[in-house]
Amino acid sequence: MPTILDTADRDALLARVSRLTPDAAPRFGTLSAHRAVRHLIDAYEVALGDKPAKPALFLVVWAHRLILGRLLNKPWPTMKPKPGYVAEPVDPAVWQADLGRLVTLIDRLAQPPTAWPAHPQIGRLTGAQWGVFLQRHTDHHLGQFGV
């Protein structure tokens, strides 16, 4: 199973990140490319322990734990594209800074943390589970924009 902790898998994701453009229209969902990048930055900052995240209510975590196997092994659901999508204007310097921040965070996983924080929605994950989850989460959003 692909994992962001594997050098070849990580490099393949980074190559796809480099092809993402701020004006890319989503094939599904409602996020703009820039919002997806910011969303992924948040996810990596939480995973790496850079950003504290408030844990979800016990029942939410419990429910997500029940579907953890699906999150790690099955295709993720997609939503219909937003009708009449128009890309949000993004300052090129902000886009480059955010894209650079995402690449830096992904690169940091070449030396994964020894202690992983709990996922705010799922609870405790092993390093291997975090690696697969981050891989699949990033793949999901890159696929959203056809890269």
Side-chain angles (χ1 to χ4, degrees), residues 2-22:
T3 172
I4 196 106
L5 302 178
D6 176 79
T7 302
D9 292 336
R10 189 173 51 256
D11 288 347
L13 271 187
L14 287 168
R16 291 172 63 199
V17 167
S18 72
R19 294 193 308 267
L20 188 60
T21 62

Side-chain angles (χ1 to χ4, degrees), residues 12-14 16-18 20 36 40 102 137-147:
L13 271 187
L14 287 168
R16 291 172 63 199
V17 167
S18 72
L20 188 60
L40 289 170
L102 179 59
H137 188 197
T138 307
D139 175 70
H140 173 77
H141 286 296
L142 293 175
Q144 184 177 7
F145 299 96
V147 294

